Amino acid sequence: MHKGIAVSPGVVVGVAYRVESVFGSTEPQTLADPEQIPAEIDRFNQAVSLSTVELEAIVLKVAQQLGSAEADIFKSHLQIVNDQGLLDKVRSLIENQELTALSALQIVLQGYAASFARIEHDYYRERLADVRDVISRIGSHLTAFPHAMPATSNNGSGSEHADEPVILVAHEILPSQAMSLGNLPIAGIVTETGGGTSHAAILSRSRGIPAVSGVTGITNDVRSGDLMVVDGRDGVVIVRPDREATAAYRKMQREFFDLKDRLVLNRDQPALSADGAPIELLANINNVADAQAAQKVGATGVGLFRTEYLFLTHADVPDEEEQYQHYRQIIEDSPNRAVTIRTLDLGGDKTVPYLGRRSEANPFMGWRSIRLSFEHPRLFERQIRAILRAGRHGKVNMLFPMITTLEELRYVNRLVEETRRNLRREGVPFGEDVKTGVMVEVPAAAVCIDAILRETDFISIGSNDLIQYLVAADRDNPKVAHLCEPLSPAIFKVLQMVLDACQRTGTPVTLCGEMAGQPRSVLALFGMGLRRFSMSPAFVPTIKALLSSVTTAQAERFAHQVLQLKTSEEIRGYLTARLHEVSSALEVFDSA
Ligand code: PEP
Ligand code: MG
């Protein structure tokens, strides 16, 4: 049994599938028959040609959209893709060791990784990231990361568990890879790295896939084809469970999914507390599929659309027109066409090569989010234009992440005004009533909330970041995950301060961090006066059911008590007991 961090609730029994990024299985694969060698080399050559064509197009587009310095990165990728030494190594492995092209690429990459690791100079050592990128690009033309996955009813393990659902086991899942998981028959996810609010964790949650992260050593302990249990509530992973444990967890799995299916039947009911107070339950989305999921579960709008996923999954830089079309599609597919669109929040654990790769000791504290937009004003302005233009097609808000100072807010407001003027002058139609708002996720902004509220239309509390910055503990680092605890006195005090300021000024406020979908936190937040919660679509039915079981007065009592407690342990204990009283059936949807 392994213990990790519970990141996405639910229980699943399934068969392990170990992956290493684009390469699918980590075990080297040989060709079934030596006669396949020439065809395999052809396939490899074709993948190289396709990658070259792709990179040439990217160089042009990036130069045009961002400038020649940014395009240089891809020029260097073009050199790598045409490096005869690299290509010959792969061909020779296919020929002499009868490996598949993908396995040969993987072995070549491992060789490079070993030699780069010996380089002392940081700059050159970091060029490995470029080699890795190029090799992954070629690999994706041989068989993309998602396509390397087994099919639904037969997980390809060739084991006795061939019909079991698939549990992905990986060292790390990058946000861009996690995006493609939605199309795959994955029933559970276990990773060695990552914390409760890592973006890959958030994505598993939005897909309703039980997941556990921070499970040290799991990739050594499990082989593809092993039966395993993932309990995303307690953060427990069991490899090769015995018959008794398998039966017990299968029963829990059935109960969990039956309850989830029953809850979603509340989709057409309004969200009301037991005494009839109206609450808005909104969805956090990353793409069109999520917008559609938000409709299906009965969310009344989108409280947070993370636009960076368009950039992470796009072959090159999306230009203004591409962004406009994408945002328009999202708006049209979202509940009530109400969407809060957040400007780019790259950096931290989400990077795109064309904005430059900088190695930073503390990426979450560094060149991230709106700071990156400030450094690329043309890119930023094009995004603002695209959002304003899409604003004609629904009720659209524009949200700025990671605002830290009033100066930043003023600069952003000026930029929006200027962009509106330009659009007007050019005669380009746009949404005149698009409101602009600030994500309160840096403690400095929370502390100066009164000044912020005077100069913005609305705010959205990003509790994931607010927590990590308040407690100075990286949300991605499992070693300090115990500090990234939403149920803590410091967090509730800051939240109360922000909510009170919004109440005094009548400013609309949403909370869009993961707390908004966690039952115990929701009980306290509702009692503190919060009425707009934005969460992964999968949690909307649960939170609707929960709030319908509690009265405003009851929740106010809970909140009052929480604000008196001095430790996280006391708050956890107190809210666990209240959740049990209010709705014990929903306890399975919270993490232990
Ligand atoms: C947050 O920080 O709470 C948030 C919603 O934004 P993200 O998780 O994308 O950083
Ligand atoms: Mg954030």
Side-chain angles (χ1 to χ4, degrees):
M1 185 195 281
H2 295 255
K3 186 90 175 76
I5 302 163
V7 297
S8 180
V11 175
V12 64
V13 180
V15 63
Y17 190 80
R18 268 181 55 186
V19 294
E20 192 176 344
S21 69
V22 73
F23 298 107
S25 169
T26 45
E27 289 113 33
Q29 314 280 322
T30 47
L31 294 165
D33 183 341
E35 284 188 7
Q36 293 171 334
I37 291 173
E40 194 65 3
I41 290 182
D42 272 358
R43 237 162 57 79
F44 172 67
N45 291 343
Q46 250 173 34
V48 171
S49 305
L50 285 170
S51 305
T52 309
V53 172
E54 217 169 66
L55 282 165
E56 282 165 352
I58 293 175
V59 167
L60 283 178
K61 181 96 176 269
V62 172
Q64 186 191 42
Q65 295 286 313
L66 292 167
S68 62
E70 284 81 1
D72 283 348
I73 296 163
F74 293 99
K75 283 190 191 146
S76 75
H77 286 198
L78 263 175
Q79 281 167 357
I80 299 171
V81 86
N82 288 311
D83 183 287
Q84 282 315 312
L86 186 154
L87 303 181
D88 288 347
K89 275 189 196 124
V90 177
R91 290 188 192 113
S92 131
L93 282 167
I94 302 173
E95 224 162 63
N96 302 327
Q97 298 195 24
E98 297 172 20
L99 288 178
T100 63
L102 204 61
S103 278
L105 266 178
Q106 188 177 3
I107 287 171
V108 169
L109 175 60
Q110 282 159 358
Y112 278 110
S115 31
F116 273 67
R118 287 193 291 273
I119 298 177
E120 272 182 25
H121 197 294
D122 281 354
Y123 175 83
Y124 291 106
R125 204 175 48 238
E126 283 158 17
R127 301 285 64 76
L128 177 64
D130 294 311
V131 176
R132 196 188 292 282
D133 250 27
V134 172
I135 289 187
S136 297
R137 185 179 292 280
I138 304 173
S140 73
H141 286 293
L142 288 162
T143 167
F145 170 71
H147 305 136
M149 291 301 302
T152 332
S153 57
N154 177 355
N155 54 47
S157 62
S159 76
E160 60 190 296
H161 312 300
D163 289 328
E164 296 284 353
V166 172
I167 294 171
L168 202 69
V169 181
H171 183 75
E172 176 184 24
I173 296 179
L174 299 174
S176 52
Q177 295 167 333
M179 278 301 281
S180 41
L181 299 183
N183 316 321
L184 298 167
I186 292 170
I189 299 180
V190 182
T191 56
E192 294 219 6
T193 61
T197 58
S198 294
H199 287 96
I202 292 174
L203 288 162
S204 340
R205 227 174 270 148
S206 73
R207 303 269 182 268
I209 300 172
V212 178
S213 72
V215 189
T216 316
I218 189 74
T219 52
N220 290 329
D221 195 31
V222 78
R223 288 182 310 273
S224 291
D226 281 347
L227 195 68
M228 64 191 294
V229 168
V230 178
D231 182 346
R233 191 182 161 242
D234 292 333
V236 165
V237 174
I238 306 175
V239 181
R240 299 177 288 278
D242 61 22
R243 289 229 332 246
E244 233 167 77
T246 307
Y249 277 102
R250 279 198 205 287
K251 183 163 172 283
M252 276 189 250
Q253 179 178 353
R254 269 194 308 276
E255 286 167 358
F256 177 78
F257 285 100
D258 284 352
L259 178 59
K260 237 176 129 175
D261 290 347
R262 275 202 310 281
L263 283 176
V264 85
L265 300 176
N266 70 12
R267 52 153 296 158
D268 296 322
Q269 292 163 16
L272 298 171
S273 65
D275 58 326
I279 298 132
E280 268 200 77
L281 299 184
L282 307 162
N284 291 350
I285 68 162
N286 305 314
N287 56 21
V288 172
D290 289 348
Q292 292 162 350
Q295 286 270 21
K296 287 203 191 100
V297 295
T300 50
V302 166
L304 174 67
F305 165 35
R306 293 178 163 106
T307 56
E308 54 276 9
Y309 287 97
L310 167 65
F311 289 70
L312 286 168
T313 53
H314 202 274
D316 47 45
V317 207
D319 61 25
E320 180 184 324
E321 192 56 29
E322 283 165 325
Q323 289 186 57
Y324 163 69
Q325 293 298 349
H326 184 69
Y327 303 156
R328 182 176 174 172
Q329 181 72 54
I330 293 271
I331 294 164
E332 282 167 1
D333 285 358
S334 291
N336 299 312
R337 292 183 173 231
V339 185
T340 296
I341 305 181
R342 180 175 75 182
T343 63
L344 262 189
D345 191 12
L346 286 168
D349 60 346
K350 295 178 283 195
T351 52
V352 289
Y354 50 79
L355 292 181
R357 233 192 226 105
R358 294 190 189 174
S359 172
E360 292 180 293
N362 300 297
F364 272 110
M365 309 262 274
W367 194 60
R368 177 186 174 209
S369 191
I370 199 122
R371 301 168 185 183
L372 207 135
S373 299
F374 288 154
E375 203 173 305
H376 293 277
R378 278 175 50 212
L379 180 78
F380 193 26
E381 195 198 324
R382 272 197 300 274
Q383 182 169 39
I384 296 174
R385 282 175 69 98
I387 297 172
L388 287 172
R389 288 174 56 198
R392 284 197 310 136
H393 305 288
K395 190 177 170 308
V396 171
N397 294 321
M398 181 162 21
L399 180 62
F400 298 104
M402 219 182 164
I403 294 286
T404 307
T405 64
L406 197 58
E407 288 92 324
E408 286 181 350
L409 174 57
R410 287 182 176 160
Y411 172 74
V412 162
N413 285 344
R414 274 201 306 276
L415 202 62
V416 174
E417 257 333 292
E418 209 175 285
T419 311
R420 283 195 177 113
R421 273 201 303 278
N422 290 341
L423 288 169
R424 240 174 248 130
R425 203 184 50 238
E426 293 165 31
V428 178
F430 67 97
E432 296 276 354
D433 50 0
V434 171
K435 300 266 187 293
T436 57
V438 166
M439 276 200 81
V440 174
E441 52 184 349
V442 177
V447 169
C448 298
I449 190 68
D450 291 316
I452 301 263
L453 295 186
R454 267 182 231 117
E455 303 190 27
T456 199
D457 296 327
F458 68 96
I459 65 155
S460 190
I461 304 175
S463 53
N464 305 336
D465 279 316
L466 188 58
I467 294 170
Q468 75 161 342
Y469 295 133
L470 203 60
V471 298
D474 184 342
R475 64 196 262 190
D476 259 3
N477 184 344
K479 280 212 153 57
V480 291
H482 60 286
L483 288 167
C484 283
E485 160 69 271
L487 304 179
S488 80
I491 305 305
F492 280 117
K493 283 200 168 50
V494 174
L495 292 175
Q496 185 68 75
M497 194 177 87
V498 174
L499 293 174
D500 284 350
C502 290
Q503 227 145 34
R504 277 197 306 275
T505 51
T507 311
V509 50
T510 304
L511 188 141
C512 63
E514 292 305 294
M515 282 178 87
Q518 292 167 348
R520 285 174 301 182
S521 302
V522 168
L523 285 180
L525 291 166
F526 176 57
M528 287 159 72
L530 185 72
R531 293 294 178 270
R532 290 166 58 90
F533 298 78
S534 193
M535 65 204 79
S536 299
F539 295 148
V540 170
T542 311
I543 301 302
K544 194 186 277 183
L546 173 69
L547 289 167
S548 72
S549 320
V550 65
T551 65
T552 315
Q554 237 180 332
E556 280 171 0
R557 270 201 310 281
F558 300 165
H560 180 78
Q561 188 59 31
V562 162
L563 288 161
Q564 311 301 313
L565 298 173
K566 305 260 178 318
T567 66
S568 292
E569 200 183 335
E570 286 167 357
I571 296 181
R572 257 199 318 272
Y574 176 76
L575 287 174
T576 302
R578 299 296 77 76
L579 175 61
H580 186 74
E581 275 165 27
V582 168
S583 181
S584 58
L586 299 179
E587 287 177 289
V588 285
F589 293 103
D590 218 334
S591 311

